[in-house]
Amino acid sequence: GDSVTQTEGLVTVTEGLPVKLNCTYQTTYLTIAFFWYVQYLNEAPQVLLRSSTDNKRTEHQGFHATLHKSSSSFHLQKSSAQLSDSALYYCALSGNTRKLIFGLGTTLQVQP
Amino acid sequence: EAAVTQSPRNKVTVTGGNVTLSCRQTNSHNYMYWYRQDTGHGLRLIHYSYGAGNLQIGDVPDGYKATRTTQEDFFLLLELASPSQTSLYFCASSDAGTGGHYEQYFGPGTRLTVL
């Protein structure tokens, strides 16, 4: 079946250093889109990035991600992590149904 | 801007109790969803609906009923609550976005504790 894998449950990085959160997927859908959701403490998940175009970089709030269908990946990256980036991040796949397939989430902890 | 509200925000009940969680969206979206969020399990879909009177089974439906009374309102019912249903519950709504992909907008969540 279709699935999204986030390999790290927790990523800890020092402020100012680069960060990468991994997201890979398996799907039989021919047309797909991806979302990165961010959930700050005691808040609701909200969309951070979205993409449906292969090999096109998408950016928002200093984060960027590129959908690579050849490697089934949509990793989230930032060149310089900030304390305010500490949150729970979900990768989610959209196929041609009305449901999103979520990964288990990665907690990003940015330390001073 | 999408607007999804949930009530109550916190609820404590006892084992065997009846609980109704409410969700309202004001963005005229057709689709609404109920999720539970638990550490180590991420977001898991309980039920969803594509309009008033419609209900679709999600991935973890056991122990839950749901009802969509209007386009705006979606309710989650726990008729015999159990401690395993202690969780953070999110409601979401969506409609077709760019390219037909369904971006979901989440409410603030309801924290349910079953003693």
Side-chain angles (χ1 to χ4, degrees), chain B residues 6 8-13 19 21 34-39 41-44 46 60 64 76 78 82-90 109-115:
Chain B
Q6 295 182 235
R9 296 295 311 278
N10 289 281
K11 176 72 176 179
V12 179
T13 190
V19 177
L21 307 185
W34 277 107
Y35 291 90
R36 60 177 291 174
Q37 182 182 44
D38 305 284
T39 303
H41 294 278
L43 290 162
R44 292 184 287 177
I46 303 170
V60 290
Y64 301 96
L76 185 68
L78 292 73
S82 73
S84 64
Q85 294 175 307
T86 293
S87 187
L88 180 58
Y89 291 86
F90 285 104
T110 294
R111 187 166 296 281
L112 175 66
T113 303
V114 184
L115 301 175

Side-chain angles (χ1 to χ4, degrees), chain A residues 51 53-58 65-68 74:
Chain A
S51 178
T53 304
D54 196 13
N55 297 316
K56 181 180 179 181
R57 175 171 163 144
T58 182
T66 303
L67 177 59
H68 289 297
F74 189 57

Side-chain angles (χ1 to χ4, degrees), chain B residues 17-106:
Chain B
N18 257 324
V19 177
T20 298
L21 307 185
S22 302
C23 176
R24 167 166 284 195
Q25 55 99 1
T26 59
N27 8 277
S28 302
H29 285 170
N30 288 323
Y31 284 82
M32 296 184 73
Y33 309 80
W34 277 107
Y35 291 90
R36 60 177 291 174
Q37 182 182 44
D38 305 284
T39 303
H41 294 278
L43 290 162
R44 292 184 287 177
L45 181 64
I46 303 170
H47 291 300
Y48 64 108
S49 165
Y50 59 73
N54 175 264
L55 182 65
Q56 303 293 313
I57 306 301
D59 301 320
V60 290
D62 292 346
Y64 301 96
K65 294 184 179 180
T67 180
R68 180 91 175 268
T69 54
T70 64
Q71 186 182 37
E72 295 79 18
D73 298 303
F74 195 28
F75 300 93
L76 185 68
L77 297 82
L78 292 73
E79 294 185 332
L80 287 171
S82 73
S84 64
Q85 294 175 307
T86 293
S87 187
L88 180 58
Y89 291 86
F90 285 104
C91 176
S93 74
S94 78
D95 217 334
T98 304
H101 294 288
Y102 288 75
E103 178 174 333
Q104 294 183 15
Y105 298 86
F106 284 81

